[in-house]
C-alpha cells in the first residue's frame, strides 16, 4: 500500500472511530464518515469492503491499543489494594463513557454495543468487552468475602456495570428528574465515587476500609 493510500485509510479509520463513538454503529452513515474524513465514498468499499468491514478494522485496532493497556494494566497491579484499583477503574471508565475525546473511544464503543448491539458484537465481546470484564471480575473476586460463589461474583460485577450504564445513558432523564446531578468531569467523578462506595458496601467493605483489601 502506498503512503498516500495508507494516509487516507488511517484518516477514514480515525474519523469513523469518532463517529461510531459519538452516535453508535446504527446511527452512523458511511456518507457522514466520508464527509468528515474528506474522502470519497468509494474508498470505504476499496479499503474495507463495507461499513461492517470498517467497523471490524476499528475494533481490531482499538483492541490492541495503548488505551486498552491503560485500562487493564493498572487494574492488575497487586501492590495496590483491590478496592482502590476497582475505584480507579470505575472512575476511568465512567469519565471515558461520559466525555468525548480520543482517550475515551473504547469505553464509548463498548457502551453503545451494550445498548444497541451490532452484527460485530461477538467480535467486540472477544476483543474489547471480555478483557475488561475479566479484569473487573478478578477485582470483585479479590474484594468479596471468602466463600463467595462465582455466580455471586459475576452478578455483583453485572450490578456494577448496570449502575455505570444507567448513569452514562440516562442524562436526558436525569436532567428532568434529578437536575442536581452535574455532568461535568467533577460531577462524573462524584458519580463514580457513589457507584464505588455503593458497590463496595454490597461486597461487605465498610466505609473507610476501601484501602484495606
Amino acid at each position: 500500500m502506498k503512503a498516500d493510500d495508507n494516509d487516507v485509510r488511517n484518516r477514514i479509520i480515525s474519523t469513523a472511530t469518532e463517529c461510531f463513538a459519538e452516535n453508535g454503529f446504527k446511527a452512523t452513515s458511511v456518507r457522514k464518515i466520508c464527509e468528515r474524513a474528506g474522502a470519497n465514498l468509494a474508498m470505504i468499499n476499496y479499503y474495507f469492503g463495507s461499513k461492517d468491514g470498517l467497523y471490524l478494522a476499528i475494533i481490531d485496532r482499538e483492541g490492541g491499543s495503548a488505551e486498552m493497556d491503560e485500562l487493564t494494566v493498572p487494574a492488575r497491579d497487586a501492590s495496590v489494594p483491590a478496592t482502590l484499583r476497582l475505584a480507579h477503574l470505575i472512575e476511568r471508565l465512567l469519565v471515558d463513557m461520559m466525555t468525548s475525546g480520543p482517550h475515551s473511544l473504547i469505553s464509548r464503543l463498548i457502551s453503545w454495543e451494550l445498548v444497541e448491539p451490532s452484527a460485530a458484537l461477538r467480535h467486540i465481546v472477544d476483543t474489547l468487552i471480555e478483557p475488561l470484564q475479566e479484569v473487573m471480575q478478578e477485582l470483585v473476586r479479590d474484594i468479596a468475602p471468602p466463600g463467595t460463589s462465582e455466580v455471586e461474583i459475576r452478578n455483583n460485577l453485572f450490578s456494577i456495570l448496570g449502575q455505570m450504564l444507567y448513569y452514562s445513558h440516562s442524562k436526558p432523564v436525569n436532567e428532568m428528574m434529578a437536575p442536581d446531578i452535574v455532568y461535568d468531569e467533577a460531577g462524573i467523578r462524584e458519580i463514580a465515587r457513589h457507584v464505588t462506595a455503593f458497590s463496595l458496601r454490597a461486597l461487605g467493605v465498610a466505609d473507610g476500609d476501601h484501602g484495606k483489601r
Side-chain angles (χ1 to χ4, degrees):
M1 186 180 293
K2 295 185 289 188
D4 287 349
D5 285 348
N6 201 42
D7 288 344
V8 173
R9 185 179 187 277
N10 288 337
R11 190 166 73 247
I12 291 172
I13 287 180
S14 295
T15 303
T17 305
E18 293 170 5
C19 291
F20 289 136
E22 288 170 9
N23 303 304
F25 178 81
K26 293 179 182 177
T28 300
S29 70
V30 170
R31 186 175 299 279
K32 187 66 175 178
I33 292 169
C34 290
E35 286 175 0
R36 284 178 59 168
N40 189 293
L41 200 60
M43 293 295 99
I44 300 292
N45 288 332
Y46 176 73
Y47 290 118
F48 309 102
S50 64
K51 177 182 169 182
D52 289 327
L54 170 59
Y55 197 50
L56 288 173
I58 289 167
I59 301 308
D60 287 337
R61 186 183 74 164
E62 295 303 319
S65 71
E67 186 188 343
M68 181 62 83
D69 287 342
E70 287 173 14
L71 291 170
T72 58
V73 172
R76 287 195 162 113
D77 182 359
S79 68
V80 178
T83 51
L84 297 182
R85 284 181 277 148
L86 180 63
H88 173 79
L89 187 54
I90 288 172
E91 180 178 273
R92 169 66 191 269
L93 288 170
L94 268 176
V95 170
D96 285 358
M97 288 161 72
M98 298 168 71
T99 58
S100 60
H103 62 285
S104 64
L105 296 173
I106 287 178
S107 300
R108 288 190 289 151
L109 286 171
I110 290 174
S111 178
W112 276 111
E113 284 296 322
L114 291 175
V115 296
E116 290 186 357
S118 71
L121 181 62
R122 177 74 261 173
H123 189 59
I124 290 165
V125 167
D126 293 341
T127 308
L128 300 180
I129 296 177
E130 189 170 18
L132 272 177
Q133 285 203 179
E134 283 180 355
V135 170
M136 294 187 78
Q137 192 154 322
E138 288 170 15
L139 291 172
V140 172
R141 186 180 293 111
D142 288 346
I143 296 165
T148 303
S149 71
E150 286 300 308
V151 171
E152 277 190 90
I153 289 168
R154 181 202 64 197
N155 290 344
N156 281 322
L157 170 61
F158 288 173
S159 294
I160 294 170
L161 295 172
Q163 292 178 77
M164 295 168 67
L165 280 172
Y166 175 78
Y167 279 107
S168 66
H169 286 281
S170 66
K171 182 178 177 181
V173 172
N174 286 345
E175 286 176 337
M176 292 184 279
M177 299 184 65
D180 57 298
I181 296 178
V182 180
Y183 281 87
D184 59 13
E185 187 166 328
I188 295 168
R189 293 185 189 281
E190 184 58 37
I191 291 170
R193 282 190 287 273
H194 164 74
V195 170
T196 299
F198 184 89
S199 301
L200 290 178
R201 283 196 293 271
L203 290 167
V205 179
D207 291 343
D209 290 341
H210 294 182
K212 297 181 181 178
R213 284 194 197 172

